[in-house]
Amino acid sequence: MTSRRVLLTGAAGFIGSHVSTALQDAGHEVVAVDALLPSAHGADADIPDGVRHIDVRDQAAMIRLLNGIDVVCHQAAVVGAGVDARDASAYASHNDFGTAVLLAAMYETKCTRMVLASSMVVYGVGRYRNRRGDDVEPAPRRRTDLDSGVFDHVDPDTGEPLEWALVDEDAPLRPRSLYAAGKVAQENYALAWSLATGGSVTALRYHNVYGDGMPRNTPYSGVAAMFRSSLD
């Protein structure tokens, strides 16, 4: 196997740190960067050994680092669903603008391969069918139903509960959160960049990633632990 030089963004994060280890174990050279955002790492986090404290929105820094890079593995992002609309600027700045800056820097340095961390949230609530087997777009859940413990998606025409179905990769994209909207934007920027430059992009739509070193203060860790415990 040919060894590659990989620029890894978000290298200090949960997923990024595992990717870094896997790449190095496979014999690749990793150039690791992370902005170490307080929202993800805490206010007083130390930059890990081997990781450079750099924000992907710094285009000059990205151009310097990208010289001689074969592949970019873009894991950096503001994560979570977004508490309210005031979070929109953070998602747009770090996720969407940051990705656009990185793609522009890749064009400048003739780096033509990217692996992009996307998410299953681009599909919205997923795929649902009525009792006849027809695909149905569920209505938004009502606050009163959630408060009373009713979580089923219902048919907007009949009010009957819908059954979930497997989501195909080519399912329509229907983002329903700020984070999801940003992930769709990242994919669209990357696709447009690949068409304009002939570059290659692989978008990985992660779904409830779980494992060693996962932060304990996120909703994902709670739900994953409950699912795992139910198997015992």
Side-chain angles (χ1 to χ4, degrees), residues 35-186:
L36 221 67
L37 298 178
S39 59
H41 300 277
D44 301 316
D46 294 323
I47 193 75
D49 291 340
V51 178
R52 308 183 193 197
H53 193 182
I54 296 176
D55 194 318
V56 296
R57 297 173 298 175
D58 185 342
Q59 186 166 347
M62 288 296 101
I63 289 175
R64 288 194 299 272
L65 290 176
L66 278 164
N67 282 299
I69 292 293
D70 300 302
V71 184
V72 172
C73 186
H74 186 28
Q75 303 293 320
V78 174
V79 299
V83 176
D84 55 40
R86 78 186 69 183
D87 298 324
S89 58
Y91 285 99
S93 178
H94 289 282
N95 297 1
D96 307 338
F97 179 64
T99 298
V101 168
L102 182 55
L103 291 168
M106 291 176 66
Y107 173 74
E108 290 288 338
T109 56
K110 297 182 173 54
C111 182
T112 60
R113 298 177 65 187
M114 170 183 274
V115 176
L116 172 67
S118 187
S119 170
M120 59 84 188
V121 296
V122 298
Y123 298 118
V125 297
R127 186 180 183 186
Y128 287 86
R129 290 174 174 164
N130 59 23
R131 293 183 178 179
R132 298 187 302 274
D134 302 322
D135 285 347
V136 175
E137 176 69 12
R141 289 187 174 101
R142 296 180 301 179
R143 181 76 257 175
T144 53
D145 288 339
L146 296 176
D147 290 341
S148 60
V150 178
F151 301 108
D152 288 331
H153 285 292
V154 299
D155 189 322
D157 295 327
T158 67
E160 296 178 341
L162 297 171
E163 296 183 355
W164 64 267
L166 294 176
V167 177
D168 298 326
E169 187 175 359
D170 58 355
L173 305 185
R174 296 190 175 97
R176 289 197 175 188
S177 69
L178 296 173
Y179 177 64
K183 284 299 173 183
V184 172
Q186 284 183 296

Side-chain angles (χ1 to χ4, degrees), residues 181-220:
K183 284 299 173 183
V184 172
Q186 284 183 296
E187 289 193 15
N188 286 334
Y189 272 113
L191 174 60
W193 170 87
S194 70
L195 294 174
T197 65
S200 169
V201 177
T202 300
L204 305 176
R205 290 170 176 163
Y206 298 145
H207 188 291
N208 287 107
V209 182
Y210 179 72
D212 293 338
M214 183 173 194
R216 298 180 180 273
N217 58 344
T218 70
Y220 292 126

